[in-house]
Amino acid sequence: MTHSRRMTVLRAVVEDYIDSQEPVGSSSLAKHHDLGVSSATIRNDMAALEDEGYLVQPHTSAGRVPTEKGYRYFVDRLATIMPLSAAQRRGISSFLRGSVSLQDTLRRSARLLANITGQVAVVASPALSKSTLRHVEIVPVSSHALLAVIITDSGRVAQHIMTVDDMPGDDELTRFCALSNAVASGLTLSHAAERIRSRATSVSGSLTDGLCRTLEDLATDERAGELYMAGTSRLAHQPNASDLAPLLDALEEQVVLMRLMNTLSEEDTDTGVGVAIGSETGTPGLIHASVVTSGYGRTADDGEDGETSAHHQSLAFVGSIGPTHMNYMTTISAVRAVARYLTALITPQEHPQ
């Protein structure tokens, strides 16, 4: 019973510190929470929580603040994730549906998430390496050049100029596009190239090689993962802005950030949202920050023979970065809601809940 009450005290300290960002004392807890025990008992519980590494007492204050361990316990035991209100959900939907392209949608999503959380929002575009082929079209642009237009399942459109030795006739080009779409639609770009190579045996070699090389180049193009960021100016207005200054440097290291958020977004959690607190990020610039992220979009992995398997992974991620004393409940629910809407927008059969 004592341990259970102590953890209730810990939760109350975390909630109050998130609200006030001031060290929390036992008399304040007794006044604002119905803990059913005296201020002295709460003081003893807080001392025990400090001994166990959940709280720490700043030198200048009689109150205590949560440690990383304290935040981690709190986050792992969030009983419910506060659902967004119907008005908020409608607001997200109308704001995102007003966009004119996938890039515009992702840019708007970052701005929207930053506005909801008051923190830095990061949204990655779907990597072409994880995308599957929806449709390919090839059109002549000169006597020796063709333009390949490749549309993926996420709605991304990639254009690539292919040079050929012999310009195919209109009929051959039409047949080749129809064959490519028939045999490769729904496969990852690398497997699509393999499938087209093995099936398009009656077509001009330079045409087949040109399209397959284009698909393979796109599949391995690491620049495909663009980051859309919003809310960085808000960091300057945080009470502990000096602690968060290294975060601005960390945000410049986009490769490190993408690797961290990709890994977090693929964690299998009850909420569908990954959370890394302080040192858990493995990034020195984020030592005073927390990262909350979720994957969006769904794509099936190809099996070894190029067939689609039942295992699903995310196409990309959406996330929020803020101080360790962020409002975790609001941030987790907002990240999850925006991720679900992005999934619904790029996967028409999905419906946000």
Side-chain angles (χ1 to χ4, degrees), residues 249-282:
D249 296 330
L251 294 177
E252 293 296 314
E253 296 291 329
Q254 295 203 351
V255 174
V256 174
L257 206 57
M258 287 190 79
R259 192 178 301 129
L260 165 65
M261 297 186 104
N262 257 324
T263 304
L264 263 185
S265 67
E266 289 169 4
E267 284 186 359
D268 187 17
T269 63
D270 291 340
T271 60
V273 178
V275 180
I277 301 166
S279 65
E280 294 172 358
T281 64

Side-chain angles (χ1 to χ4, degrees), residues 13 15 65 82 125 146 149 162 199 202 282 321 330 335 337 351:
V13 172
E15 287 174 351
V65 301
M82 188 188 303
S125 64
L146 296 163
V149 181
M162 300 166 12
R199 298 289 176 88
S202 62
I321 306 171
T330 298
V335 165
H351 298 286

Side-chain angles (χ1 to χ4, degrees), residues 17 169 332:
Y17 185 67
I332 289 171

Side-chain angles (χ1 to χ4, degrees), residues 185-261:
S185 181
L187 297 179
T188 60
L189 301 189
S190 55
H191 277 118
E194 287 176 23
R195 182 67 63 83
I196 292 168
R197 264 207 183 92
S198 66
R199 298 289 176 88
T201 50
S202 62
V203 181
S204 152
S206 66
L207 181 56
T208 304
D209 283 346
L211 178 60
C212 292
R213 273 201 309 273
T214 295
L215 290 168
E216 287 162 349
D217 288 346
L218 289 172
T220 55
D221 185 359
E222 289 308 314
R223 292 179 296 110
E226 296 172 291
L227 276 188
Y228 297 89
M229 206 174 290
T232 49
S233 61
R234 297 167 190 269
L235 289 177
H237 305 299
Q238 293 284 346
N240 301 321
S242 59
D243 286 346
L244 294 173
L247 170 53
L248 288 168
D249 296 330
L251 294 177
E252 293 296 314
E253 296 291 329
Q254 295 203 351
V255 174
V256 174
L257 206 57
M258 287 190 79
R259 192 178 301 129
L260 165 65
M261 297 186 104

Side-chain angles (χ1 to χ4, degrees), residues 11 14-15 18 70-78 328:
R11 181 170 183 142
V14 174
E15 287 174 351
I18 285 171
Y71 286 123
R72 171 50 62 192
Y73 183 91
F74 176 79
V75 168
D76 287 347
R77 283 156 186 80
L78 280 176
Y328 289 95

Side-chain angles (χ1 to χ4, degrees), residues 16-298:
D16 284 9
Y17 185 67
I18 285 171
D19 284 343
S20 69
Q21 289 157 49
E22 295 288 342
V24 180
S26 55
S27 56
S28 170
L29 286 182
K31 182 177 174 184
H32 296 116
H33 296 269
D34 185 16
L35 297 172
V37 291
S38 68
S39 180
T41 302
I42 294 170
R43 195 157 48 247
N44 290 337
D45 286 342
M46 290 175 76
L49 287 165
E50 186 175 0
D51 291 341
E52 292 167 8
Y54 292 102
L55 299 177
V56 67
Q57 185 171 21
H59 297 304
T60 56
S61 169
R64 290 176 175 83
V65 301
T67 60
E68 269 183 30
K69 184 179 177 181
Y71 286 123
R72 171 50 62 192
Y73 183 91
F74 176 79
V75 168
D76 287 347
R77 283 156 186 80
L78 280 176
T80 56
I81 301 304
M82 188 188 303
L84 297 186
S85 69
Q88 285 173 313
R89 290 201 303 275
R90 281 195 303 274
I92 291 175
S93 182
S94 62
F95 186 71
L96 295 187
R97 287 183 193 280
S99 54
V100 295
S101 65
L102 178 64
Q103 285 72 21
D104 187 31
T105 300
L106 300 181
R107 200 174 288 111
R108 283 167 173 255
S109 297
R111 213 160 65 234
L112 178 69
L113 185 58
N115 286 340
I116 294 172
T117 62
Q119 296 162 180
V120 177
V122 182
V123 180
S125 64
L128 287 171
S129 59
K130 289 184 176 182
S131 300
T132 60
L133 181 68
R134 180 182 289 172
H135 187 78
V136 61
E137 202 63 52
I138 302 173
V139 292
V141 289
S142 75
S143 58
H144 281 284
L146 296 163
L147 176 68
V149 181
I150 291 145
I151 303 170
T152 69
D153 59 331
S154 65
R156 280 193 72 172
V157 179
Q159 299 183 354
H160 203 281
I161 295 289
M162 300 166 12
T163 55
V164 290
D165 300 330
D166 302 307
M167 181 60 69
D170 289 347
D171 287 349
E172 184 181 11
L173 208 49
T174 301
R175 282 199 310 274
F176 179 62
C177 287
L179 173 68
S180 299
N181 285 313
V183 302
S185 181
L187 297 179
T188 60
L189 301 189
S190 55
H191 277 118
E194 287 176 23
R195 182 67 63 83
I196 292 168
R197 264 207 183 92
S198 66
R199 298 289 176 88
T201 50
S202 62
V203 181
S204 152
S206 66
L207 181 56
T208 304
D209 283 346
L211 178 60
C212 292
R213 273 201 309 273
T214 295
L215 290 168
E216 287 162 349
D217 288 346
L218 289 172
T220 55
D221 185 359
E222 289 308 314
R223 292 179 296 110
E226 296 172 291
L227 276 188
Y228 297 89
M229 206 174 290
T232 49
S233 61
R234 297 167 190 269
L235 289 177
H237 305 299
Q238 293 284 346
N240 301 321
S242 59
D243 286 346
L244 294 173
L247 170 53
L248 288 168
D249 296 330
L251 294 177
E252 293 296 314
E253 296 291 329
Q254 295 203 351
V255 174
V256 174
L257 206 57
M258 287 190 79
R259 192 178 301 129
L260 165 65
M261 297 186 104
N262 257 324
T263 304
L264 263 185
S265 67
E266 289 169 4
E267 284 186 359
D268 187 17
T269 63
D270 291 340
T271 60
V273 178
V275 180
I277 301 166
S279 65
E280 294 172 358
T281 64
T283 308
L286 301 178
I287 196 69
H288 295 293
S290 289
V291 178
V292 178
T293 185
S294 179
Y296 73 84
R298 287 175 181 68

